[in-house]
């Protein structure tokens, strides 16, 4: 399930996503996930990619509104472009732990 549905107090600290995630028993667990392990900057666009290390080339990383992550990303010409990515597409809450998943169908409206 998309993480934002079962998480609260979601914040971004640099490239780290931090949240309290609900467990299957209903309690809340602190969890964090290094988004460098799953997002890349490809020519000014935030894209899902294992070990993408997007934070090495981007600035102003923040939430627009959870779960939309935004950043300023340089393209091949060096121009900074505003880019965004919906973290619910690939970030899930697995029994209180934030995880990256390759499940392309994770996000359902």
């Amino acid at each position: 399930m998309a993480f934002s549905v079962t998480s609260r107090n979601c914040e971004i600290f640099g490239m780290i996503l931090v949240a309290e995630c609900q467990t299957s028993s209903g309690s809340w667990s602190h969890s964090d996930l290094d988004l460098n392990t799953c997002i890349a900057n490809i020519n000014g666009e935030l894209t899902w990619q294992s070990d993408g290390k997007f934070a090495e080339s981007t600035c102003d990383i923040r939430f627009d509104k959870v779960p939309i992550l935004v950043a300023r990303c340089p393209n091949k010409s060096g121009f900074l472009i505003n880019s965004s990515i919906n973290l619910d597409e690939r970030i899930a809450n697995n029994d209180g732990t934030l995880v990256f998943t390759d499940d392309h169908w994770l996000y359902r409206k």
Side-chain angles (χ1 to χ4, degrees):
M1 178 181 289
F3 89 95
S4 70
V5 176
T6 57
S7 300
R8 65 185 185 189
N9 300 323
C10 303
E11 297 183 74
I12 295 291
F13 294 99
M15 71 284 220
I16 307 296
L17 170 62
V18 176
E20 292 178 23
C21 301
Q22 195 168 31
T23 67
S24 57
S25 67
S27 63
W28 295 92
S29 176
H30 172 85
S31 185
D32 58 67
L33 179 67
D34 183 348
L35 296 175
N36 265 338
T37 64
C38 52
I39 300 175
N41 168 25
I42 306 296
N43 195 26
E45 184 175 335
L46 295 175
T47 305
W48 296 111
Q49 178 180 309
S50 292
D51 200 30
K53 298 181 180 165
F54 82 105
E56 292 179 3
S57 64
T58 61
C59 60
D60 298 330
I61 303 165
R62 66 194 183 286
F63 274 126
D64 177 30
K65 182 179 178 185
V66 175
I68 307 300
L69 182 77
V70 296
R72 297 188 67 203
C73 307
N75 63 14
K76 290 180 182 176
S77 300
F79 294 106
L80 289 175
I81 298 171
N82 292 323
S83 183
S84 64
I85 193 166
N86 184 337
L87 297 184
D88 272 346
E89 292 175 352
R90 301 280 184 93
I91 306 297
N93 171 9
N94 183 6
D95 197 24
T97 302
L98 293 168
V99 294
F100 170 63
T101 177
D102 284 329
D103 182 356
H104 299 276
W105 303 107
L106 181 65
Y107 178 66
R108 293 176 178 84
K109 293 183 180 179

